[in-house]
């Protein structure tokens, strides 16, 4: 089975100690860092831009993925690639020209990923799968950290795995030591975790270790 990757998302980190917390996550064995980009329109929250990716780039060797929860993603992909993100995830619901967008991300030399919201069917991805590396199955409605895992998610992951044995299936939202084994069993291999890592009572390393242990 593919190695399970743990991807702390910085939405739940302490913005005033971001560099320190990202480095702590790296030391604790995180595989990537996710920057949760929100525009206040696609989701009712406003977060980070390319400057934050640049800042994170300066303090870690880990790959950085930019999850663009934004309308008009085409306006921003170049800036996020230039700032150091090597995987750009766009929301299938945020564009009418997903093929052109994915091809542009690939042209810029980054990996392309597509994120789908809880009510979006995996069937909508069939034609774009050959051009992307990753599908991020949102296991919450995007916009905020600390939400509850949506129970129909494992069935959706199984359906996606049946459509594509090879695509990297990432999950994002409500992932912790209890939900991680459930999504891995369904076929996910990349686990985004915000509050379960940066909000863990015993600290970041304990948060990552708890998820790692739960899927071992
Ligand atoms: C979208 C955000 C969250 C975050 C994970 O809502 O992007 O999914 O990454 O948050 P937790 O792990 O706290 O649910």
């Amino acid at each position: 089975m593919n190695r399970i990757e743990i991807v702390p998302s910085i939405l739940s980190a302490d913005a005033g100690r971001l560099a320190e917390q990202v480095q702590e996550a790296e030391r604790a064995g995180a595989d990537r860092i996710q920057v949760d980009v929100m525009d206040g329109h696609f989701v009712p929250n406003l977060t980070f831009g390319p400057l934050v990716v640049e800042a994170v780039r300066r303090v870690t060797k880990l790959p950085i993925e930019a999850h663009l929860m934004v309308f008009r993603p085409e306006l921003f992909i170049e800036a996020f690639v230039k700032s150091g993100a090597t995987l750009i995830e766009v929301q299938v619901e945020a564009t009418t020209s997903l093929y052109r967008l994915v091809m542009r991300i690939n042209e810029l030399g980054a990996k392309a990923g597509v994120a789908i919201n809880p009510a979006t069917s995996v069937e909508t991805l069939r034609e774009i799968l050959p051009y992307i590396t990753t599908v991020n199955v949102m296991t919450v409605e995007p916009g905020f950290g600390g939400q509850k895992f949506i129970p129909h998610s494992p069935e959706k992951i199984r359906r996606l795995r049946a459509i594509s044995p090879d695509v990297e299936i990432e999950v994002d939202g409500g992932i912790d030591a209890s939900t991680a084994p459930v999504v891995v069993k369904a076929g996910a291999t990349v686990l985004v975790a915000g509050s379960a890592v940066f909000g863990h009572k015993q600290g970041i390393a304990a948060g990552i270790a708890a998820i790692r242990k739960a899927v071992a």
Side-chain angles (χ1 to χ4, degrees):
M1 179 170 87
N2 293 354
R3 182 175 184 281
I4 301 304
E5 301 208 17
I6 296 177
V7 184
S9 61
I10 65 168
L11 184 66
S12 300
D14 174 350
R17 296 191 301 136
L18 186 56
E20 181 191 322
Q21 294 207 323
V22 164
Q23 289 172 333
E24 205 177 322
E26 180 173 16
R27 283 194 302 274
D31 296 285
R32 308 177 196 169
I33 296 292
Q34 185 191 88
V35 175
D36 332 54
V37 180
M38 301 181 190
D39 65 356
H41 298 282
F42 183 77
V43 290
N45 199 355
L46 191 58
T47 58
F48 316 110
L51 282 178
V52 173
V53 172
E54 264 174 39
V56 172
R57 182 70 288 151
R58 285 196 296 273
V59 299
T60 177
K61 292 187 183 53
L62 292 178
I64 300 170
E65 58 182 53
H67 176 193
L68 304 187
M69 290 163 273
V70 305
F71 280 122
R72 307 287 309 278
E74 64 278 8
L75 300 177
F76 308 105
I77 48 175
E78 191 156 347
F80 278 101
V81 174
K82 282 206 173 107
S83 64
T86 47
L87 169 60
I88 306 289
E89 294 180 357
V90 294
Q91 294 278 162
V92 65
E93 305 87 355
T95 176
T96 50
S97 331
L98 184 61
Y99 175 78
R100 181 184 301 133
L101 202 51
V102 160
M103 298 316 276
R104 180 66 182 132
I105 294 170
N106 288 328
E107 211 176 85
L108 289 164
K111 288 189 283 184
V114 173
I116 55 170
N117 282 346
T120 303
S121 161
V122 293
E123 285 298 331
T124 58
L125 300 174
R126 218 178 252 284
E127 312 309 328
I128 202 69
L129 284 167
Y131 308 98
I132 63 176
T133 60
T134 307
V135 173
N136 183 352
V137 178
M138 292 306 293
T139 41
V140 295
E141 198 71 71
F144 300 92
Q147 299 182 82
K148 268 190 82 41
F149 177 83
I150 293 177
H152 77 245
S153 306
E155 180 43 38
K156 186 169 173 179
I157 295 162
R158 273 190 287 276
R159 280 201 296 277
L160 175 57
R161 187 47 82 213
I163 293 174
S164 169
D166 310 322
V167 75
E168 179 177 80
I169 300 181
E170 179 177 62
V171 288
D172 183 345
I175 302 301
D176 58 19
S178 59
T179 54
V182 174
V183 293
V184 166
K185 188 158 171 275
T189 57
V190 181
L191 310 177
V192 174
S195 42
V197 171
F198 293 111
H200 194 281
K201 289 187 296 302
Q202 273 84 44
I204 291 166
I208 292 173
I211 296 172
R212 190 72 76 198
K213 183 162 169 265
V215 297

